[in-house]
């Protein structure tokens, strides 16, 4: 499809200002009603300690966007209780989520401190998925500071771990972050390499079209920044 000169002009201005970058959290999303969240909070008192990390995560998921103070409250509460009980896997998991939450709200110094703490704990526990998640968020933190080389270093380490443990969801997130990293640093060709890897990965899961849509959206932005507006509109 060929665009008019006016359309080209409008799109060029739009692509100039679109600067996407995401926090590197790769854990399944969930949606809860107010009734559900009340039940989840109540279940913290009855659930065995080893299963509470998932409940804290679900509470965090519910609150993180529209009531982040509550998300902070429950994550910090969980870290305190897990520390008291010696559940260091729980401490690592919630500390990593705290770092991601800090990063999403621009608290990059504290975010990095927490992610490094989580990384150290995950490494000692040999929890490689957690190590990959921490590397992914560290890459996002460095990317938001404009430290492209450091961001790439962390994303590549996360990519290798997720490939080794065959964790496709984490790998998809890392491909997205690497694509955004290169797109934001003016390397559209490299961005497209990772976005196409993301497309190949997303096609495997026919039950969830969202990752494929996100991949096509990012490919469109990369082509737009590269000046190929007709390809951008196609995607």
């Amino acid at each position: 499809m060929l665009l008019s000169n006016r359309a080209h002009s409008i799109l060029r201005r739009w692509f100039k200002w679109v600067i996407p970058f995401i926090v590197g959290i790769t854990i399944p999303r969930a949606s809860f009603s107010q009734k559900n969240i009340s039940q989840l909070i109540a279940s913290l008192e009855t659930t065995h300690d080893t299963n509470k990390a998932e409940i804290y995560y679900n509470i965090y998921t519910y609150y993180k966007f529209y009531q982040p103070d509550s998300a902070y409250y429950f994550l910090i509460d969980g870290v305190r209780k897990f520390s008291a009980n010696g559940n260091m896997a729980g401490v690592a998991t919630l500390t990593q989520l705290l770092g991601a939450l800090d990063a999403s709200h621009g608290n990059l110094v504290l975010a990095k401190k927490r992610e490094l703490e989580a990384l150290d704990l995950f490494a000692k526990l040999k929890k490689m998925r957690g190590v990959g998640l921490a590397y992914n968020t560290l890459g996002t933190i460095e990317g938001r500071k404009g430290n492209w080389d450091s961001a790439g270093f962390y994303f590549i380490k996360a990519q290798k771990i997720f490939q080794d443990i065959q964790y496709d969801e984490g790998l998809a997130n890392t491909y997205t972050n690497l694509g955004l990293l290169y797109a934001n640093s003016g390397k559209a060709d490299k961005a497209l390499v990772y976005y196409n890897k993301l497309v190949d990965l997303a096609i495997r899961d026919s039950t969830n079209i969202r990752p494929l849509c996100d991949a096509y959206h990012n490919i469109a932005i990369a082509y737009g920044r590269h000046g190929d507006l007709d390809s951008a509109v196609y995607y």
Side-chain angles (χ1 to χ4, degrees):
M1 175 176 62
L2 297 178
L3 300 175
S4 67
N5 289 336
R6 174 175 167 73
H8 273 267
S9 177
I10 292 170
L11 283 172
R12 282 195 187 94
R13 289 198 299 272
W14 186 78
F15 283 120
K16 180 180 179 181
W17 293 107
V18 173
I19 307 177
F21 212 81
I22 62 173
V23 173
I25 308 174
T26 314
I27 307 178
R29 294 190 180 104
S31 178
F32 303 99
S33 68
Q34 187 63 46
K35 180 180 178 181
N36 293 146
I37 197 66
S38 297
Q39 292 173 344
L40 280 172
I41 292 170
S43 71
L44 287 172
E45 301 302 320
T46 58
T47 303
H48 191 276
D49 194 57
T50 55
N51 299 321
K52 282 185 179 178
E54 183 177 355
I55 295 173
Y56 277 112
Y57 166 72
N58 288 333
I59 294 171
Y60 151 84
T61 299
Y62 179 82
Y63 283 125
K64 66 179 178 178
F65 291 119
Y66 77 94
Q67 203 171 325
D69 286 349
S70 293
Y72 276 115
Y73 171 82
F74 282 103
L75 290 178
I76 291 170
D77 177 67
V79 168
R80 180 177 59 81
K81 289 178 178 175
F82 286 149
S83 296
N85 295 333
N87 182 350
M88 300 317 292
V91 172
T93 297
L94 300 193
T95 300
Q96 194 276 317
L97 292 175
L98 278 166
L101 190 60
D102 288 327
S104 70
H105 290 280
N107 302 320
L108 301 183
V109 173
L110 182 56
K112 185 170 184 178
K113 178 178 181 294
R114 282 176 164 154
E115 290 301 322
L116 289 172
E117 289 174 1
L119 177 63
D120 183 60
L121 286 172
F122 281 131
K124 288 176 179 176
L125 295 167
K126 301 189 186 308
K127 301 284 188 182
M128 298 313 295
R129 181 183 293 192
V131 171
L133 292 174
Y135 277 138
N136 216 13
T137 306
L138 285 165
T140 296
I141 292 165
E142 294 302 320
R144 291 195 167 188
K145 293 192 292 186
N147 299 332
W148 309 124
D149 290 341
S150 295
F153 170 80
Y154 285 124
F155 287 145
I156 292 296
K157 289 181 82 68
Q159 176 190 337
K160 185 178 186 309
I161 288 170
F162 292 144
Q163 285 174 331
D164 288 345
I165 65 175
Q166 298 181 336
Y167 182 39
D168 283 355
E169 190 175 353
L171 195 56
N173 190 267
T174 303
Y175 284 156
T176 299
N177 280 336
L178 281 163
L180 293 173
L181 172 71
Y182 286 119
N184 288 337
S185 57
K187 299 176 182 177
D189 289 342
K190 284 191 173 182
L192 288 169
V193 169
Y194 285 101
Y195 290 149
N196 282 306
K197 287 177 181 285
L198 179 59
V199 168
D200 292 340
L201 197 62
I203 287 173
R204 296 182 197 173
D205 184 5
S206 59
T207 63
N208 184 6
I209 197 171
R210 173 68 182 273
L212 188 59
C213 292
D214 289 345
Y216 284 145
H217 173 261
N218 288 333
I219 288 173
I221 291 173
Y223 272 121
R225 290 184 169 185
H226 200 51
D228 187 348
L229 302 186
D230 291 310
S231 294
V233 170
Y234 170 80
Y235 281 99

